Amino acid sequence: MPKRKSGSAIEEPPKRVNVEEKDVEDESDSDQEDHPQNRQVQGVSEVSDAGIVESITLKNFMCHSHLGPFTFGSNVNFVVGNNGSGKSAILTALIVTLGGNAHATNRGLSLKGFVKEGESSADVSITLRNKGRDAFKSEVYGPAITVDLRITREGLRTYKLRSKSGQIISTKKEELLSILDHFNIQVNNPASVLTQEMSKYFLHSKREGDKYKFFMKSTKLDKMKEDFVQIKTTKRITEEKIEQHGQYLKDLKQKYLEKEERFKNLSSLDEKETKLEELQNQMAWVLVQDMENELKPLKEKLQSDRHSTEKYDAKVEEWKNKVEEAEGKYRQIEERLEGITQQVQELQPESAQLKSEAREKNAVLNSREVTVHRCRAHLRDLEKDKAQLSSRINVLKLSITQKSGAESQARMERVEQLKAELENMNHQTSTLEQQIDQYRHACRCATEEQGKMKREQDVFQKSIDANRRNLQNMESSRSNRLRRFGEHMPTLLTAIDKAGRKGQFRQKPRGPLGHLILLKDPDLALAVEVCLKGQLQAFTCDNHDDEKVLQGLMSKVCPNARRPAIITSHFLPRVHDTRSRAVNHPEYPSVLHSLEIEDPVVANCLIDQRGIESVLLIKNQTDARRVMQGGSPPRNCSQAFSKDGDQVFNNRSYSAEQTRANYLSGDVEEEIRHLQKELENQKAQATRFQQQMGKLDDDVKQNDGLLRRAQVEERTIKNKAAKIKLELSELQNVEEPQSEDLNPLEEELQEIVSKISSKRAECDEAQAQMADCKAAYEKAEQKYKQHKEQIFTATEDAEHVKDELSKTDQDVGKCKHHKKHYDEKRTAHLRSIQALEGNLESKEQELQTSVAKATEICPERVEVRRTARSLDNEISRLNVKISTQQRQQGNRDEVVRQYHEALQNYKNMAMQMKNLKSYVQCLNGLMNQRLQKYSKLRRSVGDKLCQGKIILRLT
């Protein structure tokens, strides 16, 4: 039934319990709280309206045709009445209708037994309250849920769940189960039913103590308490017996051990002597086994070393192939570099030729421009003659017009005026076209010059930035030389030292390498710096784990700056032996000999990475070329560097890009002064660049403005000329009387006009030729620029190939070093195998001698698992025991009898103790089980009484 909270407080009666009850109460901390008469509700609790049974109606159920409707209250409901009045029917109908089975009712075995005799079906209708915050689907069912049950004679059960308004919401039992789970209604719980006697007693008794005793008796809780007290008493008695028997068992055990010791000492002398002989035989063969065990790891090591020889052979072959591959790659890169160098050399003559052609095209263009200017000057002269002749004709015509009247004269004047204006406009148009061409040419030239200067300025700015960084590093290195290698370098080394103290490195990394070397001759600083390049700022690690730790430190110290390179190579305690592959010249030192390097790890790293033992330092560039290229170069010499940093091979040479040493120079102040002076010069040049760029910008803007104004003026004049031509055509169509004197002048004027047309055509042709020459010049200039760009690209490629060639050269040296390393390891390994074989042979001879001796002592071999030392000690102890027993042996039969008697007593007592302890454990289990059941039942019945969860059934 649903859980209900009482709205009133229950007074706690005085407790009267006997000794056994106190024992039970001590076993459970929650019993007093769960007692139905000892629970006190503090304050007034909120009453839940959801899930309360409001009414029930029965039809043809059990022996009743019609009962109800019965209306129930919100708290405990007592159903009273005479026998047969329907009390059991109401309770049974509640259980069955709310999903319970027939067995839970104790009134039948199946549902069909609840249908009234002679009827085909039975109906039950129950209304549940559905209000408050715990309501079930209140928007569907409303404030009440009606459950209708029909049971047929065949035992079938059907449900109808209705809302407050009577509408059928569902016919599924699953919906009913959901409602019961939501309201926490339990109809199959037997604890929800009390007997008739209990209900009557509760109704008529006035003494609280009697009520409590009757409650305990009616629920059989008192019987459970008595059983619990009896079990606890039995447990206490048993534990007392165990404690008494424990001390007695200790005495029996001590007595048994004493008798056992005497019994063991009675072993026969024959058995001990037999044992002694067996131990002596084992001693003989255990020595053989020890020698065999010594030989076994030697054989295994010999087999393993022979197998490892194949690995060394494979490693040597692998590095031999890598050396050949690296040398082949070096030759390929060298051929590429030679090809690029040859390409540059081939491009140089063609570049000069293209430059000469561009100059020739420019000269032709200039001559064409002169021709155009000359034609235009001649054309202007003809125009002047034409103007003078026209003026003379106009004078003659004026005299004629005086005869023809004022209108004709005005028309003639207007015609001449229009012709003069048109002629003037033509001159202006021609002049503007020439100016437009000049402005366009000036703008194009200025733009090209701007592009060239901008590219030069970018290169120049990069040089200024590099010098500024170098100056900052130099100034910082006044107090700390490490700052030459980067602003972050002191912090990075501090972090490395701290990590080393914490044990994060197996071997502390070395670096920067340039900080760990010193020059014997300061004049060779630039040469050594150009030779080592990036290795000066690099670090070297012993293993890849240390490399990962160092990379993590670099990412923290310099997250945005360029990180130094890390070279991973196993650290060795001494410098490589380079006598077989180092260059040895009587006059000039190698890079290795010109440096003072205290740390062998740094020296080995530079030898492996750069091959400094095979690079010569020759101060004079002429001497360097003579030594390297005059004949055969010195033995083992791969290249040489001059004092100025020039790199010289046996068939080629390259100039250094830098002019001073940045990391290895000795005089810091001198380097700072040099860099400051160079920066001042570069800043002055940058200022001049800016001025030139500003002047070019002004020229471009001025020419653009003039060009736009000339184009606007040209369009305006052409529009005016078109209008004048139209008006002139209309005036010339009017016929005028001509005089005989005008004909020669007009013919001459016509001739001049034809000359002007011819000269204008010639001028147009000259302009067209000038345009062609200009296009040809621009094409030649573009071709020259493209060819120059090819040379520049090839030069850059050559620099990249140089770097790649240098790196490949380092790889070749590294591969040769590894090949030599594995050759030496293989040789040492073979010597170790020979020594191991000799040692094994001598050990086998000793083993044969030992086997012969053991066979004499014991012909049949004995397998022994003990050590020789253990056997020797036992043989000594056994000899002492035999001699002692021979002196102290007493009455054997009496000792044996006492031993067996003590053993039997001890076993019997130990078995009794074991049984008693098992019995106590069993009692503990029973007590726990009964206490749990007792507490659970007590709480359940008490809660249901106090919270209104019991419907009293009267039978």
Side-chain angles (χ1 to χ4, degrees):
M1 297 305 291
K3 180 179 179 181
R4 294 183 174 91
K5 297 181 181 179
S6 176
S8 61
I10 301 175
E11 294 294 329
E12 180 180 2
K15 294 185 292 183
R16 292 175 295 178
V17 294
N18 55 21
V19 177
E20 291 80 11
E21 290 174 343
K22 289 183 180 179
D23 291 338
V24 176
E25 296 298 331
D26 292 340
E27 294 293 333
S28 174
D29 296 337
S30 61
D31 284 352
Q32 289 185 358
E33 296 176 359
D34 294 337
H35 195 286
Q37 298 297 328
N38 293 337
R39 295 172 60 110
Q40 183 174 3
V41 181
Q42 299 294 333
V44 179
S45 301
E46 179 184 356
V47 178
S48 176
D49 290 338
I52 295 175
V53 179
E54 291 186 340
S55 65
I56 183 170
T57 303
L58 289 71
K59 292 182 181 180
N60 300 327
F61 190 81
M62 294 178 68
C63 60
H64 303 281
S65 300
H66 188 277
L67 285 177
F70 296 101
T71 303
F72 297 105
S74 300
N75 295 314
V76 176
N77 292 272
F78 294 89
V79 180
V80 296
N82 298 324
N83 291 339
S85 61
K87 301 183 298 297
S88 299
I90 292 173
L91 184 59
T92 303
L94 277 171
I95 294 173
V96 174
T97 306
L98 296 181
N101 52 41
H103 294 280
T105 64
N106 294 326
R107 291 291 179 174
L109 299 177
S110 62
L111 293 175
K112 61 184 179 179
F114 297 134
V115 181
K116 184 180 179 182
E117 190 69 27
E119 300 294 336
S120 61
S121 63
D123 296 322
V124 180
S125 178
I126 296 176
T127 301
L128 302 176
R129 185 176 298 175
N130 192 37
K131 297 179 181 180
R133 66 175 184 273
D134 296 332
F136 179 81
K137 295 182 182 180
S138 59
E139 70 278 1
V140 177
Y141 289 97
I145 301 174
T146 301
V147 181
D148 293 339
L149 170 67
R150 169 161 289 188
I151 304 173
T152 63
R153 176 60 65 181
E154 290 78 14
L156 297 178
R157 176 165 52 180
T158 59
Y159 288 97
K160 290 182 182 179
L161 302 177
R162 302 178 184 271
S163 64
K164 177 67 175 179
S165 60
Q167 181 182 358
I168 298 175
I169 303 302
S170 176
T171 59
K172 296 181 179 179
K173 187 177 181 181
E174 289 77 5
E175 182 75 5
L176 176 61
L177 294 178
S178 299
I179 294 172
L180 298 178
D181 290 340
H182 184 77
F183 292 148
N184 194 20
I185 296 176
Q186 301 175 4
V187 296
N188 290 326
N189 189 356
S192 63
V193 180
L194 294 179
T195 63
Q196 176 185 15
E197 290 77 11
M198 179 177 176
S199 60
K200 290 181 179 179
Y201 194 86
F202 266 78
L203 287 173
H204 298 288
S205 177
K206 295 182 179 179
R207 295 176 58 190
E208 295 296 334
D210 294 340
K211 290 182 179 180
Y212 171 69
K213 290 181 179 180
F214 183 79
F215 168 78
M216 296 293 291
K217 182 177 181 181
S218 61
T219 55
K220 297 183 179 181
L221 292 176
D222 56 347
K223 178 62 176 174
M224 293 180 67
K225 182 185 290 186
E226 292 174 0
D227 294 343
F228 184 83
V229 172
Q230 183 178 359
I231 293 172
K232 188 170 182 180
T233 303
T234 304
K235 174 189 171 186
R236 185 171 63 251
I237 295 172
T238 305
E239 288 176 344
E240 292 175 355
K241 288 183 179 180
I242 290 174
E243 185 176 358
Q244 294 172 0
H245 286 60
Q247 186 61 36
Y248 183 53
L249 180 64
K250 290 180 181 179
D251 297 338
L252 289 178
K253 184 177 181 181
Q254 184 64 30
K255 185 177 181 180
Y256 154 68
L257 292 175
E258 292 175 356
K259 300 298 181 182
E260 184 183 29
E261 182 66 23
R262 293 186 62 188
F263 176 77
K264 289 181 179 179
N265 291 333
L266 290 177
S267 300
S268 65
L269 292 176
D270 294 338
E271 181 180 354
K272 287 184 172 60
E273 290 175 353
T274 304
K275 179 67 174 178
L276 179 62
E277 184 178 357
E278 291 178 357
L279 291 175
Q280 290 174 347
N281 294 337
Q282 292 178 3
M283 187 66 179
W285 283 106
V286 79
L287 295 176
V288 174
Q289 289 182 1
D290 290 343
M291 297 188 68
E292 289 176 345
N293 292 332
E294 291 178 2
L295 284 176
K296 186 176 180 181
L298 292 178
K299 291 180 180 179
E300 292 177 353
K301 188 175 187 307
L302 179 60
Q303 183 178 2
S304 176
D305 290 348
R306 286 173 177 171
H307 180 68
S308 299
T309 305
E310 300 176 357
K311 297 181 179 178
Y312 281 111
D313 294 339
K315 279 290 185 181
V316 170
E317 187 66 24
E318 176 187 354
W319 283 105
K320 181 180 178 182
N321 296 332
K322 288 184 177 180
V323 168
E324 294 176 355
E325 181 182 353
E327 289 178 344
K329 185 178 179 181
Y330 181 85
R331 288 192 295 271
Q332 291 177 359
I333 297 174
E334 193 173 25
E335 290 174 359
R336 282 174 53 198
L337 183 59
E338 292 176 356
I340 294 174
T341 305
Q342 184 178 1
Q343 180 184 359
V344 172
Q345 293 174 355
E346 291 175 355
L347 290 174
Q348 290 291 349
E350 187 178 356
S351 176
Q353 182 181 357
L354 291 174
K355 186 175 183 180
S356 176
E357 290 179 359
R359 288 179 178 176
E360 292 176 358
K361 298 291 184 182
N362 191 18
V364 173
L365 176 61
N366 292 334
S367 65
R368 292 299 179 187
E369 288 179 350
V370 171
T371 302
V372 170
H373 288 306
R374 189 182 295 112
C375 289
R376 288 177 178 175
H378 194 188
L379 186 60
R380 284 195 297 272
D381 293 339
L382 289 175
E383 294 290 346
K384 289 180 181 179
D385 294 341
K386 179 184 175 184
Q388 292 175 0
L389 188 57
S390 297
S391 177
R392 186 178 177 184
I393 291 173
N394 291 335
V395 172
L396 290 175
K397 287 183 177 181
L398 182 60
S399 61
I400 296 173
T401 54
Q402 291 177 355
K403 299 177 182 179
S404 58
E407 183 178 355
S408 177
Q409 183 179 359
R411 186 172 58 250
M412 289 300 295
E413 290 176 356
R414 181 59 181 168
V415 168
E416 293 302 327
Q417 181 183 359
L418 292 176
K419 285 182 180 181
E421 291 178 0
L422 185 60
E423 188 67 22
N424 187 26
M425 289 181 180
N426 290 333
H427 284 297
Q428 292 179 2
T429 303
S430 177
T431 303
L432 289 173
E433 288 177 353
Q434 185 178 359
Q435 290 177 355
I436 289 172
D437 291 338
Q438 292 175 353
Y439 292 150
R440 285 176 177 170
H441 179 70
C443 289
R444 185 166 55 252
C445 293
T447 304
E448 292 176 356
E449 187 67 22
Q450 272 186 324
K452 293 179 182 178
M453 292 189 67
K454 190 172 182 181
R455 289 192 292 271
E456 293 177 3
Q457 187 180 17
D458 292 339
V459 175
F460 192 67
Q461 187 62 39
K462 290 181 181 178
S463 176
I464 292 175
D465 295 339
N467 285 333
R468 186 177 291 111
R469 288 193 299 271
N470 292 335
L471 178 60
Q472 291 177 355
N473 292 336
M474 284 292 179
E475 290 176 346
S476 301
S477 65
R478 285 173 172 169
S479 58
N480 191 345
R481 184 170 174 263
L482 278 172
R483 294 185 181 275
R484 285 196 184 188
F485 301 91
E487 187 68 23
H488 59 275
M489 196 59 68
T491 307
L492 178 59
L493 288 185
T494 303
I496 292 174
D497 292 338
K498 187 180 295 184
R501 289 192 296 270
K502 292 181 179 179
Q504 297 180 8
F505 295 109
R506 282 191 275 175
Q507 290 281 349
K508 182 180 176 182
R510 310 295 201 270
L513 300 181
H515 183 64
L516 302 176
I517 63 177
L518 293 176
L519 288 171
K520 296 179 180 178
D521 187 356
D523 292 340
L524 297 175
L526 180 59
V528 173
E529 190 166 313
V530 173
C531 174
L532 297 182
K533 294 182 180 179
Q535 275 82 14
L536 293 173
Q537 292 179 289
F539 283 74
T540 179
C541 292
D542 175 69
N543 53 79
H544 291 288
D545 294 335
D546 291 349
E547 178 187 358
K548 292 179 180 178
V549 176
L550 182 57
Q551 286 178 348
L553 294 178
M554 287 181 178
S555 63
K556 294 179 181 178
V557 174
C558 43
N560 299 322
R562 182 178 180 183
R563 301 178 189 175
I566 301 176
I567 302 168
T568 303
S569 180
H570 182 59
F571 290 176
L572 298 177
R574 57 183 179 277
V575 181
H576 294 324
D577 185 5
T578 60
R579 289 175 293 181
S580 61
R581 63 177 185 271
V583 60
N584 189 9
H585 197 276
E587 299 181 22
Y588 309 112
S590 66
V591 177
L592 179 61
H593 291 155
S594 66
L595 297 176
E596 292 182 0
I597 307 175
E598 296 182 358
D599 195 339
V601 173
V602 177
N604 291 337
C605 181
L606 295 178
I607 290 172
D608 294 339
Q609 297 297 319
R610 194 65 184 88
I612 58 176
E613 78 282 1
S614 61
V615 180
L616 281 178
L617 296 177
I618 305 173
K619 292 185 178 181
N620 190 281
Q621 184 179 5
T622 305
D623 293 341
R625 291 183 177 177
R626 175 179 53 79
V627 172
M628 296 298 297
Q629 300 176 357
S632 59
R635 182 174 174 270
N636 295 331
C637 182
S638 62
Q639 54 188 302
F641 285 89
S642 69
K643 177 182 177 182
D644 297 330
D646 297 334
Q647 189 177 14
V648 183
F649 293 90
N650 60 348
N651 56 355
R652 64 193 183 280
S653 60
Y654 303 100
S655 299
E657 295 180 356
Q658 63 186 89
T659 57
R660 300 183 67 85
N662 296 323
Y663 304 106
L664 302 179
S665 61
D667 192 351
V668 178
E669 297 299 331
E670 178 64 24
E671 293 297 328
I672 291 175
R673 286 193 296 272
H674 173 76
L675 287 174
Q676 289 175 345
K677 185 176 180 181
E678 188 172 353
L679 271 176
E680 290 176 0
N681 294 334
Q682 288 179 339
K683 289 179 180 179
Q685 293 180 12
T687 303
R688 289 195 294 273
F689 263 120
Q690 292 293 336
Q691 292 175 355
Q692 293 177 5
M693 289 290 290
K695 185 178 179 181
L696 285 175
D697 289 338
D698 294 339
D699 292 342
V700 171
K701 292 178 181 178
Q702 183 179 2
N703 289 325
D704 284 339
L706 293 173
L707 177 61
R708 287 193 295 270
R709 286 197 296 271
Q711 289 174 344
V712 172
E713 188 176 355
E714 182 186 18
R715 287 194 297 270
T716 304
I717 292 173
K718 286 183 177 180
N719 292 333
K720 291 180 179 180
K723 294 178 180 179
I724 291 173
K725 286 181 181 179
L726 181 60
E727 184 179 356
L728 183 60
S729 176
E730 292 177 353
L731 292 174
Q732 286 178 348
N733 289 333
V734 180
E735 296 183 358
E736 294 290 341
Q738 299 290 329
S739 174
E740 295 295 335
D741 295 334
L742 289 176
N743 291 332
L745 295 176
E746 290 179 349
E747 290 177 358
E748 185 178 357
L749 179 61
Q750 188 66 32
E751 183 179 356
I752 291 173
V753 171
S754 63
K755 287 181 180 181
I756 289 173
S757 301
S758 175
K759 185 57 67 175
R760 186 164 291 162
E762 183 180 352
C763 185
D764 292 339
E765 183 179 358
Q767 285 183 348
Q769 291 177 357
M770 183 182 69
D772 294 339
C773 292
K774 188 176 182 180
Y777 165 71
E778 292 177 352
K779 183 177 180 182
E781 181 72 14
Q782 183 67 24
K783 189 174 181 181
Y784 167 68
K785 290 180 181 178
Q786 292 177 355
H787 198 271
K788 190 175 180 180
E789 187 69 24
Q790 289 180 358
I791 295 175
F792 180 74
T793 303
T795 305
E796 287 186 344
D797 293 341
E799 292 299 326
H800 292 307
V801 174
K802 286 181 189 177
D803 295 338
E804 190 176 356
L805 184 65
S806 176
K807 185 177 179 182
T808 306
D809 188 20
Q810 296 175 12
D811 293 340
V812 171
K814 185 176 180 180
C815 292
K816 288 182 178 178
H817 168 69
H818 284 292
K819 178 180 178 297
K820 181 180 177 182
H821 171 70
Y822 283 108
D823 280 333
E824 294 173 353
K825 290 192 71 173
R826 181 177 63 176
T827 304
H829 181 69
L830 293 176
R831 288 198 297 268
S832 175
I833 290 177
Q834 292 176 357
L836 188 61
E837 288 176 346
N839 187 19
L840 185 63
E841 185 177 357
S842 64
K843 292 283 186 183
E844 287 178 345
Q845 291 177 358
E846 294 178 3
L847 175 63
Q848 291 176 1
T849 303
S850 180
V851 170
K853 291 181 180 180
T855 305
E856 292 178 1
I857 297 173
C858 179
E860 185 177 357
R861 178 163 182 148
V862 179
E863 295 295 333
V864 186
R865 297 183 178 179
R866 299 174 62 183
T867 62
R869 183 176 180 180
S870 174
L871 290 173
D872 185 51
N873 292 334
E874 189 173 356
I875 289 173
S876 299
R877 288 196 299 271
L878 192 57
N879 285 325
V880 173
K881 285 183 179 181
I882 290 173
S883 60
T884 302
Q885 186 176 357
Q886 288 175 348
R887 293 193 305 269
Q888 297 179 354
Q889 186 174 9
N891 189 349
R892 175 184 179 84
D893 295 336
E894 182 65 21
V895 171
V896 171
R897 186 189 63 77
Q898 292 177 358
Y899 165 70
H900 288 293
E901 182 179 351
L903 176 62
Q904 188 63 35
N905 292 335
Y906 173 72
K907 286 183 178 180
N908 292 337
M909 183 57 63
M911 182 60 67
Q912 291 179 11
M913 289 288 293
K914 182 178 179 181
N915 293 334
L916 288 174
K917 289 181 179 179
S918 300
Y919 182 61
V920 169
Q921 291 179 355
C922 181
L923 289 178
N924 285 330
L926 291 174
M927 287 175 65
N928 291 332
Q929 291 177 5
R930 289 180 175 271
L931 181 61
Q932 291 175 1
K933 290 181 180 180
Y934 172 78
S935 301
K936 183 176 179 181
L937 181 58
R938 233 173 112 182
R939 274 196 306 272
S940 176
V941 174
D943 288 344
K944 292 180 183 302
L945 279 175
C946 292
Q947 299 177 10
K949 293 183 68 176
I950 299 179
I951 291 180
L952 302 180
R953 187 184 69 177
L954 304 180
T955 59

